[in-house]
Amino acid sequence: MLNQIDLSRIDLNLLVLFETVIEERHVGRSAQRLNLSPSAISHGLGRLRILLGDPLFLKTPKGVVPTDRAEELAAPIADILARVRSVVATAEPFDPARSQRRFTIGAPDGVSSVFLPPLLDLLAKSAPGIAISVRQLLPRQGEPSPDLAWRDALAALEARDMDIAIIPQAEFPVRFASLLLYEEDFVIAARQGHPLLTDQTLATYCAMQHLVVSHMGDTHGFVDNVLASHGCSRQVALTVPNFMFALAVLAETDFISALPRRFVEMHAARFGVVSVNPPLPLGRFAINAAAPKAAMGDEGVAWLVRLLQASMDNTIDKTAAHSGNRPAPIKADT
């Protein structure tokens, strides 16, 4: 967007002015918001037009409207300003009780549905000004290795596109710090009164119509691999793109689905969905929070990681705590 020569003479305040005008769509209101005169806003827009080579805003009887070029620039400029504000915020002592920072956490939807409610409870009590953006993470399609399936998430962390990733990955490159938040396994979920609840044999399970959560609509998953190892198979009648939608569908149909146990425990009851243990062990996996070690030098990020641990400590079941699966300290050693 800006070449090297432009960067040597650009005034960052011009980007703030652009952001304000595109939000307000009015020179007068923008002037009031920035404590400037309307003529100063107009002068700044003139400098921006020269710098960016576009009229940017066109006058109308009710204010101004952005050009197509201005609409294209809105998101990149907002991103630039967000990063600058984040840098400035980290230069000051971090006080969660007074901070107005926004943090971005990436996670699959079945994981964010578990950690977010207790995290929001703690934020409301101790850091009401903190804002959270949740970014949905998806594994690489067709990647057979669990520890490689989430490498796009790790790349996004290093690019600082998000602050923390919470993913079902056990091992991380040494340049990342990681924290075990909880361990997860699977249950079979179905509506109340479903025939499977009174006949939980493997044969009955395989004969049922199955729902699979798959963002891309793939019908084959790890459950099919487990069944195949025992000489069995199942019929996948429906795929849906997220776990909450899965619960809503299960409540109104005779489909069954293998879903994360902790997710089901937290959310299934309000849909009238219940669960039973699977007829075959479907394995356990670790849910870890990860951030680059360099990012952990940011007091705000380090605080948020600790808060995530505290939020899960408040909800973790006693069985996991007594079995030695309690979240461990941050692993930041090389």
Side-chain angles (χ1 to χ4, degrees):
M1 180 180 68
L2 301 173
N3 60 39
Q4 196 65 36
I5 296 175
D6 291 330
L7 287 176
S8 69
R9 59 186 176 84
I10 188 172
D11 181 354
L12 183 62
N13 288 321
L14 292 178
L15 300 187
V16 177
L17 184 148
F18 175 94
E19 178 188 55
T20 305
V21 174
I22 204 165
E23 290 176 356
E24 295 291 344
R25 308 293 174 102
H26 195 279
V27 169
R29 289 197 298 269
S30 299
Q32 292 177 351
R33 182 167 154 184
L34 295 175
N35 293 317
L36 296 172
S37 67
S39 62
I41 297 292
S42 298
H43 178 70
L45 289 177
R47 293 173 61 192
L48 270 175
R49 291 181 178 112
I50 294 172
L51 184 65
L52 299 175
D54 188 84
L56 296 177
F57 297 97
L58 305 176
K59 291 183 180 180
T60 73
K62 294 184 178 181
V64 296
V65 295
T67 64
D68 290 344
R69 177 62 172 155
E71 294 282 14
E72 292 174 0
L73 292 171
I77 288 176
D79 182 61
I80 290 169
L81 292 176
R83 290 171 183 264
V84 171
R85 287 164 179 146
S86 177
V87 169
V88 172
T90 60
E92 301 174 352
F94 180 73
D95 180 358
R98 300 176 59 187
S99 176
Q100 300 291 315
R101 281 184 66 177
R102 175 177 295 276
F103 295 95
T104 299
I105 303 174
D109 75 292
V111 173
S112 59
S113 299
V114 171
F115 77 76
L116 194 56
L119 175 64
L120 293 178
D121 283 345
L122 288 186
L123 286 174
K125 297 172 183 175
S126 61
I130 295 292
I132 299 293
S133 293
V134 177
R135 171 177 171 176
Q136 183 174 7
L137 299 182
L138 300 168
R140 279 204 172 184
Q141 241 11 67
E143 175 56 66
S145 170
D147 286 339
L148 294 178
W150 300 97
R151 59 185 184 273
D152 291 340
L154 300 187
L157 280 175
E158 291 191 295
R160 302 307 297 269
D161 291 337
M162 56 187 173
D163 299 294
I164 300 169
I166 304 178
I167 51 179
Q169 179 166 319
E171 300 295 332
F172 293 84
V174 295
R175 61 188 183 277
F176 290 91
S178 64
L179 169 72
L180 176 64
L181 292 184
Y182 63 96
E183 288 194 341
E184 187 64 281
D185 64 347
F186 280 80
V187 294
I188 308 305
R191 64 169 176 80
Q192 291 182 352
H194 194 284
L196 181 69
L197 303 180
T198 56
D199 184 5
Q200 300 174 29
T201 63
L202 178 59
T204 300
Y205 171 78
C206 293
M208 296 292 177
Q209 289 190 316
H210 292 249
L211 178 154
V212 169
V213 177
S214 170
H215 179 74
M216 299 297 292
D218 295 333
T219 59
H220 188 90
F222 74 95
V223 172
D224 300 282
N225 295 334
V226 173
L227 291 175
S229 69
H230 289 78
C232 301
S233 63
R234 62 175 178 169
Q235 177 190 357
V236 176
L238 178 68
T239 70
V240 297
N242 62 68
F243 287 93
M244 284 295 185
F245 189 23
L247 290 178
V249 172
L250 291 177
E252 302 294 334
T253 67
D254 280 336
F255 297 151
I256 64 172
S257 185
L259 299 177
R261 182 185 299 272
R262 194 175 296 273
F263 167 79
V264 170
E265 290 174 347
M266 291 182 67
H267 300 289
R270 67 176 181 269
F271 290 90
V273 171
V274 295
S275 64
V276 295
N277 288 324
L280 291 172
L282 298 180
R284 296 180 65 85
F285 54 95
I287 302 296
N288 280 290
K293 290 179 181 177
M296 292 299 294
D298 179 337
E299 291 183 21
V301 173
W303 167 83
L304 183 57
V305 170
R306 293 193 297 270
L307 196 70
L308 280 164
Q309 182 180 32
S311 69
M312 294 313 300
D313 276 349
N314 289 344
T315 59
I316 196 168
D317 58 271
K318 294 181 180 180
T319 301
H322 290 310
S323 66
N325 292 328
R326 196 173 185 79
I330 291 287
K331 296 185 293 184
D333 53 343
T334 56

